[in-house]
Amino acid sequence: DAGITQSPRHKVTETGTPVTLRCHQTENHRYMYWYRQDPGHGLRLIHYSYGVKDTDKGEVSDGYSVSRSKTEDFLLTLESATSSQTSVYFCAIREPGDNQPQHFGDGTRLSIL
Amino acid sequence: AQSVSQHNHHVILSEAASLELGCNYSYGGTVNLFWYVQYPGQHLQLLLKYFSGDPLVKGIKGFEAEFIKSKFSFNLRKPSVQWSDTAEYFCAARYGQNFVFGPGTRLSVLP
């Protein structure tokens, strides 16, 4: 398995609080992604990064921000969490190259009450 | 808009039955296609991928998929399923740097 660690694995918090999820990789892959997984929707892209300090928005970026100050770390922040952001969040990494697949972390289950 | 659809929400089969899960993707020029599997409580794992060349792609665990360009389809098949194949299956397409996933198909295999 790819060296991807997501932290925390589970978190319960209250509406209006800030939340930061961390994705750490040991593979030195250039591309990193944050997805949320919800029943009936599959995985939806929140943000991705194509290098240090280089990020772009995905399909469902509203309410989320990201930062990548080092190759190995990609942080996802919910500035003021809402109940609609209750979900399972997956980080993925990928090497450059058209035929390179994504490799996924174990996910973070986030519940916002 | 770029999109991936999967034909079935939930498929229930008996062991040794044959499997075919449908996947269609929207046109977007050059597209790379993937099938991932997610076992309960686990992360997504790559089953197989199509980049170019032979449209019949073989993956791990006895799965294969056929790319039919004229139908914008990339269906997943397995001749004989096992109870251990119970999982959720996701089709995905890469459009440039954007990966789009289908909603998933839950497969339940009865022993």
Side-chain angles (χ1 to χ4, degrees):
Chain A
D1 283 346
I4 309 169
T5 304
Q6 290 187 233
S7 58
R9 292 296 314 281
H10 303 271
K11 186 172 181 65
V12 180
T13 190
E14 294 183 345
T15 300
T17 60
V19 177
T20 296
L21 307 183
R22 180 183 184 229
C23 178
H24 177 79
Q25 61 149 328
T26 58
E27 306 295 322
N28 202 36
H29 285 359
R30 178 179 172 187
Y31 295 100
M32 298 186 76
Y33 305 79
W34 275 109
Y35 291 89
R36 60 178 290 173
Q37 184 179 28
D38 304 289
H41 291 279
L43 274 76
R44 291 181 292 175
L45 181 65
I46 305 171
H47 282 279
Y48 67 96
S49 169
Y50 45 94
V52 174
K53 299 190 188 304
D54 290 324
T55 65
D56 207 348
K57 295 179 179 180
E59 176 189 359
V60 291
S61 60
D62 287 350
Y64 302 95
S65 63
V66 290
S67 66
R68 191 168 178 201
S69 58
K70 298 184 290 184
T71 298
E72 57 266 35
D73 288 326
F74 193 33
L75 304 180
L76 176 70
T77 297
L78 293 65
E79 299 291 349
S80 178
T82 69
S83 58
S84 64
Q85 293 175 310
T86 292
S87 187
V88 181
Y89 291 84
F90 285 97
C91 172
I93 65 175
R94 189 175 79 91
E95 290 187 281
D98 286 346
N99 67 339
Q100 294 299 321
Q102 294 173 313
H103 301 281
F104 287 85
D106 289 333
T108 293
R109 185 172 295 275
L110 178 61
S111 297
I112 300 163
L113 307 177
Chain B
Q2 298 158 350
S3 66
V4 174
S5 62
Q6 293 184 236
H7 303 174
N8 309 97
H9 176 64
H10 188 192
V11 173
I12 302 173
L13 296 173
S14 298
E15 275 193 317
S18 64
L19 170 71
E20 182 161 3
L21 301 182
C23 170
N24 286 94
Y25 63 94
S26 63
Y27 174 76
T30 300
V31 175
N32 302 139
L33 298 162
F34 307 84
W35 274 99
Y36 285 86
V37 61
Q38 186 180 30
Y39 299 104
Q42 297 188 23
H43 61 268
L44 276 74
Q45 302 173 39
L46 182 69
L47 275 178
L48 47 78
K49 63 183 181 182
Y50 175 78
F51 173 59
S52 65
D54 188 345
L56 187 61
V57 180
K58 294 195 182 300
I60 62 171
K61 304 178 188 286
F63 286 91
E64 64 179 31
E66 185 175 12
F67 170 60
I68 303 180
K69 188 175 181 178
S70 61
K71 296 184 178 180
F72 298 96
S73 71
F74 189 55
N75 292 355
L76 182 71
R77 299 196 291 247
K78 185 171 184 178
S80 175
V81 294
Q82 301 172 318
W83 176 79
S84 58
D85 292 323
T86 293
E88 190 149 18
Y89 293 80
F90 294 93
C91 181
R94 186 182 73 85
Y95 301 89
Q97 293 309 321
N98 187 22
F99 283 76
V100 179
F101 284 79
T105 296
R106 186 156 63 100
L107 173 65
S108 298
V109 179
L110 306 177

